Amino acid sequence: MKKRSTMFIAITLLLLANLEFATSQNQELSRMKRAATGKDSYSQDELVSFKSDVPYKQALEALSALSKKYARKPIIDPQPLTTTINVEIQSFYWKDALELILRTNNLWYTESDDYFQVSPVGQIAQNGVPTPGGMTAVIDSGMIVAKAREVTISCVFLEINTVKLRESGFNFNIFRGKDLNLGVTFTGADNVSNNIFGVTASPSSKNLTVNIDAALKIFEDEQIGEVIARPQTTVRSGNKGRLQVGVDFSIKEKDFSGNIIDRFYSTGTILEVTPKIYTYGTTTIIDLPYKATRSTVSPGSVSTLINKSEGEGRAILLDGEETFVGGLYTNEEDIERTGIPILKDLPWWFFGLRYIFGYDKLQVTRKDLIILLKAEMVPTIEDRMKDLMKERNILQNKLKADREDSEKRLKK
């Protein structure tokens, strides 16, 4: 009896040691995979612990919450198990825990741009995504893509010369019009005659309201402002879009091995947007986080300076609505030679007359950058297919009617 008890204890200890060894081996294997992808460290908030009797569905919901927070993707299981996870997890990185739970229950996952999907190992896929078992996993990505929403972001980069604007005797401000679009109000000083409007502004009629397109034409015609660019991009909901008008420059740097490499930096006017579509009742709302940067590079003898103005915010727009980003300005310094013509440009060795009849004037020009944004919904693939089918049906009905009409005429 004593001998049997001793044997039972030995077998139990051996099984526990093997389980601990397998667990540590799985952790080490997962750590090596993370290191290969550049994720070699994590915070304490990314660690999870589960008892083996925790229901599978409850554990997957907890891991999905962490996945949304750190990977920006939920974990989806169309047919979750009704059993427990059947494995003990102590202070595991959340993705390692997910893989261990799935491996234990003969499951695995496939990763897309928007989510992780769990499927049984060995199922045949429609799109041919391999699983650890050498087979494939089922994922209906076509339906996800067909129902995905897209947003078209139209931009206007407008640069206004504030010096010329003040000289014209006018000021302006942007306001929200009666419809979804923006408008501009010009305010002229008293009794200022200006050829912008071809009238003399008086105290009783010195305000003029125009739409954005008319304002842009006024700015360009009078050389008060300049439209730098009119970029447009279509972004899938939840993804980032980036627009840049400028150049990338490189700086010689050393990498971790001591090799000299070229590291590139972006300058100019850069706009980053990440639109997200929400539905409130029957109203579609576009949540538009944006980041606008205006920068110029100044190479120096010791180091390279980047002059930067940056604005970051978040706007909520309706379909077709406009907004703007302002407050980004630059000061341009230019040395201008002024004085008596011809004499001011004489060489310095000619009795020094250039210093008597002329002087160098520092001209500082401030230019404000205004970015106009417009967000428009793009119909989904599903809606576009319906519209295409309608057009085809209309065309077929028209051809059928023409054919029937032709047959009637031939019979007559």
Side-chain angles (χ1 to χ4, degrees), residues 251-255 259-263:
I251 296 179
K252 299 289 185 182
E253 296 182 2
K254 287 186 178 181
D255 61 5
N259 302 317
I260 302 297
I261 60 173
D262 286 322
R263 188 177 298 276

Side-chain angles (χ1 to χ4, degrees), residues 4-279:
R4 288 182 180 178
S5 300
T6 305
M7 186 179 296
F8 177 76
I9 293 172
I11 292 173
T12 303
L13 292 175
L14 182 61
L15 289 174
L16 290 175
N18 288 336
L19 179 61
E20 184 177 357
F21 174 75
T23 302
S24 62
Q25 195 175 28
N26 285 330
Q27 282 185 308
E28 181 63 21
L29 181 61
S30 299
R31 190 195 68 78
M32 292 173 66
K33 287 181 179 179
R34 288 197 308 274
T37 58
K39 174 92 175 164
D40 197 20
S41 61
Y42 46 81
S43 64
Q44 291 295 321
D45 295 336
E46 297 181 74
L47 300 180
V48 295
S49 298
F50 295 113
K51 295 289 186 182
S52 60
D53 56 353
V54 172
Y56 169 83
K57 191 174 181 180
Q58 180 181 342
L60 196 66
E61 289 176 354
L63 292 171
S64 181
L66 291 173
S67 179
K68 289 179 184 177
K69 182 177 180 181
Y70 295 105
R72 308 295 183 188
K73 301 177 183 179
I75 302 173
I76 301 172
D77 190 348
Q79 298 176 343
L81 300 178
T82 57
T83 59
T84 60
I85 60 175
N86 298 318
V87 63
E88 191 84 10
I89 295 176
Q90 291 291 336
S91 299
F92 266 47
Y93 173 60
W94 67 268
K95 199 167 185 181
D96 295 347
L98 172 66
E99 293 181 356
L100 182 57
I101 292 173
L102 296 181
R103 194 179 293 111
T104 303
N105 293 277
N106 199 30
L107 302 171
W108 198 245
Y109 67 92
T110 53
E111 182 178 356
S112 69
D113 294 337
D114 299 315
Y115 55 86
F116 297 98
Q117 177 164 331
V118 178
S119 303
V121 173
Q123 284 190 355
I124 300 176
Q126 298 173 358
N127 61 347
V129 179
T131 64
M135 300 297 289
T136 51
V138 174
I139 176 171
D140 191 5
S141 57
M143 183 184 67
I144 300 297
V145 173
K147 292 182 177 295
R149 303 305 304 267
E150 294 177 313
V151 184
T152 297
I153 306 296
S154 304
C155 304
V156 176
F157 293 157
L158 174 64
E159 192 175 57
I160 297 177
N161 190 324
T162 56
V163 175
K164 289 186 178 180
L165 185 67
R166 284 195 299 268
E167 290 176 353
S168 67
F170 280 87
N171 194 3
F172 78 99
N173 56 55
I174 299 177
F175 69 97
R176 181 75 63 194
K178 292 181 181 179
D179 54 4
L180 298 179
N181 297 324
L182 300 173
V184 174
T185 297
F186 287 92
T187 304
D190 294 347
N191 299 323
V192 172
S193 178
N194 193 286
N195 60 357
I196 290 180
F197 308 113
V199 297
T200 300
S202 62
S204 60
S205 62
K206 63 181 181 179
N207 295 335
L208 183 66
T209 301
V210 297
N211 60 23
I212 287 293
D213 292 332
L216 295 179
K217 189 174 185 308
I218 290 171
F219 289 140
E220 289 183 327
D221 290 345
E222 299 301 321
Q223 298 182 352
I224 295 175
E226 177 187 4
V227 175
I228 301 175
R230 291 175 178 261
Q232 186 180 84
T233 183
T234 300
V235 186
R236 189 173 174 181
S237 176
N239 292 346
K240 180 185 288 188
R242 187 174 185 271
L243 301 171
Q244 178 183 357
V245 180
V247 296
D248 292 349
F249 72 97
S250 64
I251 296 179
K252 299 289 185 182
E253 296 182 2
K254 287 186 178 181
D255 61 5
F256 64 94
S257 300
N259 302 317
I260 302 297
I261 60 173
D262 286 322
R263 188 177 298 276
F264 286 85
Y265 295 88
S266 298
T267 59
T269 303
I270 303 171
L271 178 67
E272 295 179 356
V273 292
T274 311
K276 182 72 175 176
I277 299 172
Y278 296 95
T279 302

